[in-house]
Amino acid sequence: MGMATDRPRVLSGIQPTAGSFHLGNYLGAVRQWVALQESHDAFYMVVDLHAITVPQDPKELRANTRLAAAQLLAAGLDPERCTLFVQSHVPEHAQLGWVMNCLTGFGEASRMTQFKDKSAKQGSDRATVGLFTYPILQVADILLYQANEVPVGEDQRQHIELTRDLAERFNGRYGQTFTVPKPHIIKETAKIFDLQDPTAKMSKSTANPKGLVNLLDEPKVTVKKVKSAVTDTDTEIRFDAEAKPGVSNLLTIYSTLTGTGIPELEQKYAGKGYGALKTDLAEVMAEFVTPFRTRTQEYLDDPETLDSILAKGAEKARAVAAETLATTYERIGFLPAKH
Ligand code: AMP
Ligand code: TRP
């Protein structure tokens, strides 16, 4: 590999389920992925195995997988500086996933809050066993690459904790095998809130689509959503996540997209009222999403290039994953296959 291997390693993944990424995905995770490719040996993947924990239409899944990769490239991932791949192209994920399933307690898996939330939404008859064991597949995703850090939003913290527990358990039982990873969660953007309900996380499954900023929406739709964001009855522009969640969320978004500090923004809008803040933020958003949409479309218009980027990524990923899996199998006591 041409990449500097003395750099610490990062790994992360995103599901190809919703079509467009939303602002929470970008600010909470993808933005960090782009930054980390400069300083780390970075592995990023589109997690299609995770996607099928809920029913997927085959055609849509295939299209959304390419769409997710196109958006990651449009956001700034550079295949020369990171390894970008599709999870199902690397069979070792499912293989190490099984090993990790056999290391996890049933009660331990039952405590994963994301499963509880997601299965409550679907009803326990419709929730699959795959949805239940999904965090354990995520553990395998991370451990296969010996990742030091995992850049994600706050909602993934518990899964990284599980990863650490299982890595330590395996290492304790079979000898040092896996790097114990740390979450890389940026406090300011760890949780971006819904524009209509600023106490709830921005999420693709929101009740009110006006609260969700999809990066591939028409810029004028985004402008409208920002301008009708819920704030409060007061008029003071001040960051206070408890007392003023709506305004604080807008300040976080504004600050991160422009690189302007929040105190500076508070000063700039002192005495100006929410309208001015929203109008300017709407413009900032439009300037951000317009080129993002164009770049995404350019990658989609050239599926051959896109697929070849993913093929090269899978090849690089497999080299690392296969080595970890071979060591793992050997430690466990599986009889080596004769060649
Ligand atoms: P998902 O769409 O569930 O695959 O999430 C992809 C990434 O986006 C994960 O790292 C999540 O933690 C992150 N993420 C999702 N929603 C938000 C949000 N509202 N705020 C911050 N990060 C988020
Ligand atoms: N579970 C993550 C999510 O829903 C996606 C994911 C799968 C992931 N495998 C991963 C994130 C490995 C970080 C590392 O967002």
Side-chain angles (χ1 to χ4, degrees):
M1 259 196 286
M3 238 168 315
T5 43
D6 52 345
R7 292 176 165 199
R9 189 168 283 164
V10 289
L11 172 126
S12 197
I14 188 160
Q15 302 208 40
T17 43
S20 177
F21 292 173
H22 62 72
L23 193 59
N25 298 141
Y26 178 70
L27 295 180
V30 175
R31 199 169 168 274
Q32 278 64 256
W33 300 12
V34 175
L36 288 164
Q37 55 180 356
E38 307 303 334
S39 50
H40 287 65
D41 184 18
F43 287 76
Y44 302 125
M45 62 180 166
V46 180
V47 292
D48 53 353
L49 298 181
H50 284 265
I52 64 163
T53 55
V54 297
Q56 299 292 337
D57 173 76
K59 256 200 190 138
E60 266 176 42
L61 178 60
R62 204 168 291 125
N64 281 339
T65 301
R66 279 209 184 99
L67 180 57
Q71 289 177 89
L72 290 171
L73 294 163
L77 290 191
D78 174 355
E80 300 293 322
R81 282 183 289 171
C82 72
T83 302
L84 174 63
F85 65 102
V86 174
Q87 189 183 28
S88 66
H89 293 177
V90 182
E92 285 81 2
H93 290 262
Q95 292 173 292
L96 188 66
W98 176 252
V99 173
M100 292 298 145
N101 269 311
C102 297
L103 209 68
T104 312
F106 192 83
E108 193 175 29
S110 308
R111 285 192 291 275
M112 294 296 122
T113 57
Q114 238 199 10
F115 172 74
K116 290 190 215 166
D117 294 348
K118 288 193 182 182
S119 60
K121 269 185 200 151
Q122 299 191 15
S124 60
D125 295 346
R126 288 188 51 221
T128 65
V129 176
L131 187 65
F132 182 66
T133 61
Y134 141 126
I136 304 168
L137 179 60
Q138 184 170 351
V139 169
D141 295 341
I142 298 166
L143 297 184
L144 266 182
Y145 297 90
Q146 310 285 6
N148 303 94
E149 287 177 53
V150 186
V152 285
E154 182 61 39
D155 60 358
Q156 297 298 313
R157 189 184 290 277
Q158 196 186 29
H159 297 164
I160 316 301
E161 282 304 316
L162 179 67
T163 308
R164 293 173 58 83
D165 290 346
L166 292 181
E168 278 165 3
R169 189 171 308 157
F170 190 101
N171 289 346
R173 210 171 281 179
Y174 300 104
Q176 180 58 39
T177 306
F178 296 116
T179 302
V180 181
K182 288 195 180 69
H184 176 95
I185 300 176
I186 305 287
K187 199 169 144 257
E188 290 74 21
T189 51
K191 194 170 177 186
I192 299 298
F193 296 90
D194 187 294
L195 296 189
Q196 289 297 315
D197 175 6
T199 58
K201 171 181 89 162
M202 184 178 284
S203 154
K204 56 196 162 204
S205 52
T206 181
N208 184 350
K210 280 163 72 187
L212 172 69
V213 176
N214 280 315
L215 301 188
L216 293 178
D217 278 350
E218 290 260 7
K220 63 173 191 254
V221 172
T222 299
V223 163
K224 213 166 163 193
K225 285 180 182 175
V226 172
K227 288 192 175 169
S228 57
V230 166
T231 42
D232 51 47
T233 51
D234 178 29
T235 57
E236 194 191 353
I237 296 180
R238 176 170 57 86
F239 188 93
D240 182 339
E242 304 277 297
K244 299 169 78 70
V247 179
S248 302
N249 191 39
L250 297 182
L251 286 171
T252 298
I253 296 168
Y254 196 153
S255 166
T256 324
L257 286 178
T258 60
T260 318
I262 288 186
E264 236 175 288
L265 290 175
E266 287 172 335
Q267 257 185 8
K268 180 174 173 190
Y269 290 100
K272 285 200 181 142
Y274 297 154
L277 173 72
K278 287 184 189 173
T279 304
D280 290 355
L281 176 57
E283 196 176 314
V284 165
M285 290 289 307
E287 271 170 28
F288 174 73
V289 297
T290 304
F292 176 82
R293 293 175 88 223
T294 311
R295 284 197 297 271
T296 301
Q297 193 55 50
E298 283 166 6
Y299 285 107
L300 290 177
D301 288 342
D302 186 1
E304 266 172 45
T305 302
L306 190 60
D307 290 356
S308 104
I309 291 171
L310 295 173
K312 280 191 200 123
E315 200 183 318
K316 284 199 276 176
R318 265 201 98 166
V320 178
E323 192 182 321
T324 308
L325 187 75
T327 310
T328 309
Y329 273 18
E330 196 260 325
R331 296 276 153 84
I332 290 171
F334 287 164
L335 181 69
K338 275 244 173 198
H339 293 293

